[in-house]
Amino acid sequence: MLWLLPLLTRGQSRYYFRNADVALPRRINTVVLTSVDFDSTLLNTEVNPGQIIGQVTAQPLVRSARYGLAIIDSEQAYETGDFPRAAKLLETAALHEPDNPFITYQLARALYKTDATKPRAYTLYQRLITQLDAAVPATDSAVAVDVHFVEAYWKLGTLHMDNEQWPEAILSISRFLLGAQTLDYLDATIREQALGYLTECFFAIHDAEKCRYFGQRVLKLNPKNQYVRPYLAALAKPAPKQPAGRKR
C-alpha cells in the first residue's frame, strides 16, 4: 500500500523538508512514484497525510525469459550470505541483458556486499537509477522513486558517501526514505542509520541547520547513538535569539 506523505517547509538553506525525515533540494517540488497503481477515485479530491492512495504493482512473473531462474538462484544465494556466488550467477545474464533492471539490481546488490567489487556495484546502481529515471518525463523540478527498487537508492547513496559526493548522497538517501516511508516498511534501525548519514552529509556541505536537525532526530530515536555526536559537537553553537525590536 502507498501512503500520502505530508509536505513541510522551513529554514533558509539550499534544502527544504519534504517531511520530518527527508530534505530535498529546493528546486525539487514534485515526487513521482512509479510502479504504482493509484486510486483514480481520489483525483480532484482532498487527501490527508497517512491516507492510502494506491497499491504497488506486482513485479512481473517472468523477469527474464532467458535468465529468470538465474535471478531466483542469485537471490537465494544472496539470502544465505554467499555474495560472490550470487554475483557469479548473473554475470552472463548481465552481458546479454544489460538493460534488464531486475538483473542489474540483483547483480549490483550482490557486488555491493564485497569491498573489492563495490566500485562495480556503484557503476551498476548508477546505470539502474538512470534507466528508472528515464521512464518518467525529465524535469529539473521533479524526482522519481521507483518503489520496486527502493533499496537501490539506499545503496547508491552510501556509495556516493564513500566517494564524498555529498549532494548526490543526500538526494539518493532521501529518495530511499521517500520510497520506504511510502511503502510503510522503514524499520527503526535503518531509519536511525539513514538519518545519521544525512547528519554527516549536511555536516560535509557546511549546512549547520540541517546537520543539527538530523543529528537531534537521531538522538531522539536513540539517545545512545554515537555516530552523530562528533558532527554535532563540531558545529558552532547557534547564535542566541535577539529580543524583539532589538537590532545589532
Side-chain angles (χ1 to χ4, degrees):
M1 294 182 293
L2 295 172
W3 302 80
L4 177 71
L5 301 175
L7 171 63
L8 306 176
T9 59
R10 96 176 168 76
Q12 299 299 318
S13 78
R14 291 169 288 171
Y15 294 80
Y16 75 100
F17 292 114
R18 179 76 189 187
N19 63 53
D21 286 347
V22 175
L24 291 175
R26 287 195 171 275
R27 62 179 174 80
I28 295 175
N29 56 34
T30 303
V31 176
V32 180
L33 298 175
T34 59
S35 299
V36 175
D37 283 331
F38 288 101
D39 185 349
S40 60
T41 65
L42 297 177
L43 290 174
N44 302 316
T45 66
E46 183 176 348
V47 291
N48 301 306
Q51 182 176 345
I52 297 173
I53 58 174
Q55 301 286 336
V56 177
T57 60
Q59 290 200 10
L61 292 177
V62 179
R63 291 174 287 178
S64 168
R66 187 175 180 182
Y67 298 106
L69 290 178
I71 296 173
I72 293 172
D73 290 344
S74 176
E75 290 171 336
Q76 291 174 345
Y78 183 94
E79 292 302 322
T80 63
D82 192 348
F83 306 120
R85 181 170 182 270
K88 185 176 181 180
L89 284 164
L90 288 179
E91 292 290 4
T92 300
L95 286 174
H96 288 97
E97 297 185 13
D99 296 327
N100 184 318
F102 301 102
I103 291 174
T104 304
Y105 170 72
Q106 178 57 28
L107 177 57
R109 69 198 297 255
L111 293 170
Y112 178 93
K113 287 293 189 175
T114 303
D115 286 343
T117 56
K118 269 191 173 183
R120 192 162 159 237
Y122 174 69
T123 299
L124 289 175
Y125 275 129
Q126 284 186 306
R127 191 175 78 194
L128 173 64
I129 299 305
T130 298
Q131 180 182 353
L132 298 177
D133 286 347
V136 299
T139 169
D140 289 339
S141 61
V143 66
V145 178
D146 190 317
V147 295
H148 279 172
F149 300 96
V150 168
E151 182 189 289
Y153 300 102
W154 168 249
K155 296 289 179 59
L156 180 57
T158 65
L159 293 169
H160 280 314
M161 291 180 68
D162 289 346
N163 294 328
E164 298 186 355
Q165 297 166 322
W166 307 110
E168 292 86 350
I170 291 169
L171 181 57
S172 194
I173 292 171
S174 295
R175 292 168 86 175
F176 160 73
L177 286 167
L178 285 167
Q181 291 171 341
T182 300
L183 294 172
D184 197 30
Y185 71 50
L186 187 65
D187 68 40
T189 299
I190 294 297
R191 183 185 176 201
E192 179 184 337
Q193 188 176 12
L195 299 183
Y197 285 173
L198 288 177
T199 302
E200 179 181 355
C201 289
F202 279 110
F203 180 86
I205 65 169
H206 310 293
D207 189 329
E209 178 197 8
K210 296 295 187 296
C211 177
R212 184 175 291 109
Y213 171 84
F214 282 109
Q216 289 173 347
R217 283 192 69 75
V218 170
L219 293 178
K220 186 175 181 180
L221 289 171
N222 178 14
K224 296 182 180 180
N225 182 287
Q226 297 300 312
Y227 189 87
V228 301
R229 290 187 181 278
Y231 301 112
L232 295 177
L235 293 176
K237 292 184 178 180
K241 293 183 179 179
Q242 295 292 321
R246 178 176 163 185
K247 298 181 179 179
R248 291 179 181 269

